[in-house]
Amino acid sequence: MIQLSPARLLASDLDGTILFQRTMSNNDVASLKRWHSQEPAGSHQLVCCTGKSLAATRYCIDQFGVPWDFYVMYTGAVVCDSDYRILHASTLGNDVMLEVWEFLSRVPGIAVYATTLDTEDVSLGESLPQGVATDMIQTFVPLDLARIPEHQFVGVPIWVPAEAAQVGTDIDDLQAQILARFGDVLDCHRNQDFLDIVPKGATKGSGLRWLLDYLSTGECPGAGEGAVQGVQESAACDGGRVELLTAGDSFNDLDMHRIADISASFPHSPAEVQAATTHVVGSMAEFIDLNLKH
């Protein structure tokens, strides 16, 4: 018997949770597969919940063969099924994109990227100190700013390395400035040394709430202004109660931890994140072991 609506849904962040230096441990991969294989089939499902774009997510994790049932990407702005078909998406207006870039182009010590629904991740520009680089965004192409109107933008990741302080840029101050200037039309979330600009109201928690509503009704809730039309159909769901488990190491995981029944952070997580979770564990494998014991 295949249970279409899961009894238990495990949502996992990527970087700093199960993805370290571009790889996943064999133990974590095996544990995720063990979670997914519980009987009855379909009762224990997996959600990849990340700030990464669709293109970056596929690039980073497809090689590991984890059987993800859903993807909540772009910090909650986009929800996809197991085949990366978009079920729900919100986007940033092109006029907003241009205004945001005009502001960020004057900030020293940062790198500014953008994510779209139809391209690889793109680079808008950078003012980084010499020799500073990150592996968090691994594939991107430069974008001619004149081509911004040709694309549907979902997010603006901003890398603010520790070295930015040498030229007067503080990540918390920059986040506050972005929200003060643009907070009526967008949100800005912190993830360690990155800021993620996303459509207003988009969080990992809001993306998971959308998915839980979808699973409970079998219908796609209204996505509101900025939503992308042409939602894909999915299997009907039986509307049963779903227990939500979340695992995430950083600040942008707080919103999904708040709505979880059971949640996990890690010893390397900031103290605020640890305090917000029901468990602090050494690995995803440990978290799954704890929750598969009877």
Side-chain angles (χ1 to χ4, degrees):
M1 172 184 176
I2 296 178
Q3 182 169 326
L4 294 177
S5 182
R8 310 183 81 189
L9 198 66
L10 172 56
S12 176
D13 172 50
L14 289 180
D15 292 297
T17 296
I18 57 173
L19 192 66
F20 297 90
Q21 297 181 333
R22 307 187 184 186
T23 193
M24 292 173 60
S25 75
N26 291 335
N27 283 344
D28 282 351
V29 171
S31 293
L32 289 164
K33 290 180 177 179
R34 183 161 68 95
W35 172 274
H36 194 265
S37 68
Q38 297 299 300
E39 295 291 341
S43 64
H44 287 60
Q45 295 189 11
L46 293 170
V47 183
C48 174
C49 201
T50 178
K52 292 184 181 296
S53 67
L54 193 157
T57 299
R58 299 190 73 159
Y59 177 84
C60 289
I61 67 172
D62 277 5
Q63 61 186 301
F64 301 109
V66 174
W68 302 103
D69 297 282
F70 297 97
Y71 299 86
V72 174
M73 297 174 288
Y74 306 83
T75 317
V78 174
V79 181
C80 291
D81 68 10
S82 60
D83 294 318
Y84 291 101
R85 293 177 298 187
I86 294 174
L87 302 174
H88 160 78
S90 296
T91 57
L92 295 166
N94 289 333
D95 54 342
V96 173
M97 283 293 303
L98 290 168
E99 291 178 19
V100 166
W101 168 242
E102 182 181 1
F103 168 72
L104 293 174
S105 65
R106 300 192 295 270
V107 178
I110 66 172
V112 184
Y113 306 92
T115 57
T116 79
L117 289 177
D118 57 352
T119 69
E120 298 293 319
D121 295 345
V122 300
S123 171
L124 298 182
E126 63 178 48
S127 55
L128 293 170
Q130 187 173 2
V132 176
T134 180
D135 65 358
M136 286 281 283
I137 295 184
Q138 299 163 22
T139 59
F140 60 85
V141 294
L143 179 70
D144 181 349
L145 299 180
R147 301 189 64 182
I148 284 179
E150 300 175 13
H151 303 286
Q152 288 182 297
F153 290 90
V154 182
V156 180
I158 308 160
W159 185 37
V160 189
E163 293 84 352
Q166 300 171 7
V167 291
T169 298
D170 175 81
I171 189 168
D172 291 323
D173 288 344
L174 180 57
Q175 181 183 28
Q177 291 178 47
I178 291 169
L179 290 173
R181 183 180 290 252
F182 303 106
D184 58 334
V185 294
L186 56 78
D187 278 323
C188 182
H189 304 292
R190 182 177 175 184
N191 177 18
Q192 303 288 24
D193 56 359
F194 266 81
L195 296 176
D196 290 317
I197 292 176
V198 292
K200 185 71 175 176
T203 69
K204 290 186 179 182
S206 70
L208 284 172
R209 281 193 297 269
W210 188 95
L211 178 57
L212 290 169
D213 287 344
Y214 177 73
L215 290 171
S216 69
T217 64
E219 299 176 358
C220 296
E225 186 175 356
V228 174
Q229 302 301 313
V231 170
Q232 299 286 337
E233 293 183 0
S234 184
C237 302
D238 62 16
R241 168 74 168 87
V242 178
E243 181 183 36
L244 176 64
L245 293 80
T246 60
D249 71 302
S250 194
F251 297 106
N252 68 343
D253 299 309
L254 287 170
D255 285 289
M256 71 172 182
H257 290 326
R258 291 187 185 105
I259 67 169
D261 297 290
I262 305 171
S263 55
S265 57
F266 302 88
H268 58 270
S269 298
E272 178 183 349
V273 179
Q274 292 187 27
T277 58
T278 60
H279 295 73
V280 178
V281 296
S283 67
M284 173 61 79
E286 179 183 340
F287 186 48
I288 289 175
D289 285 344
L290 286 171
N291 284 286
L292 287 183
K293 289 180 178 177
H294 298 289

